[in-house]
Amino acid sequence: MSHHTAEKLQKMFEAMRSAWGPQHWWPAETPTEVIIGAILTQNTAWRNVERAIDNLRRVGLLDWRKLRDIAPEALAEHIRPAGTFNVKTRRLKAFVAWFWDRYEGDLDRMFATPLDQLREELLSVSGIGRETADAILLYAGELPTFVVDAYTARILHRHQIIDGDADYEQIKELFESSLSADALLFNEFHALLVQAGKVHCRPRARCEGCPLAQFEHEIESDDI
Ligand code: SF4
């Protein structure tokens, strides 16, 4: 990874941050809600996840012991608004079972585990992919791991920082070797990339007015 790339990523961060300011992702929620949200959010809009979490809150199920003890069929009813609720029930139950088995339902103990080790452990839980694991570590544990998503890959590719076939771990490594290991910085950077992706760097790019337009970029002809 070149010095040039590191500098470019830092400048991109600063450009987005001065355009949009701090994003304050997941500020008011508890680590428990963040973890549940990270598991439920796969392939659905966040507002649906919020409705599922509201259901869980209303019946007192934002509680790891109760989540362990509830029957999967009953849990599925509460998280129905999050979509594909049978799959998500299985994933949530798999996480909860592992969490009790490994950490006896103690979040502090879990997040006191060395980051790389905990990440590997999370990835071994059925249904927890890389983006979910990193979201749990960063947003619930406040541990410095970079969360990569499709927006991140698209923006970096259009700015010729990565190849089209760069994988999750390569992109994550690029950020982590370019920036200081700072959870707040990683949090803000990811949130800003999502903002850029939602507003400008859509399948059809809207570069005009994008804070990243000042950096060299190339849009493939079928994107225009
Ligand atoms: S919209 Fe254009 S300027 Fe903005 S990130 Fe995408 S390619 Fe870059």
Side-chain angles (χ1 to χ4, degrees), residues 155 158-159 200-201 206-207 210 212-213 217 219:
I155 292 168
R158 284 176 170 172
H159 284 263
H200 294 282
C201 212
R206 299 174 180 173
C207 298
C210 178
L212 299 180
H217 56 282
I219 310 296

Side-chain angles (χ1 to χ4, degrees), residues 33 42 47 50 58 65 68 91 144 156 193 195:
E33 287 178 48
Q42 300 175 62
R47 65 178 177 280
E50 281 178 329
R58 202 166 42 239
R65 186 176 297 274
R68 180 190 67 186
R91 287 179 181 166
L156 262 53
L193 287 166
Q195 173 76 0

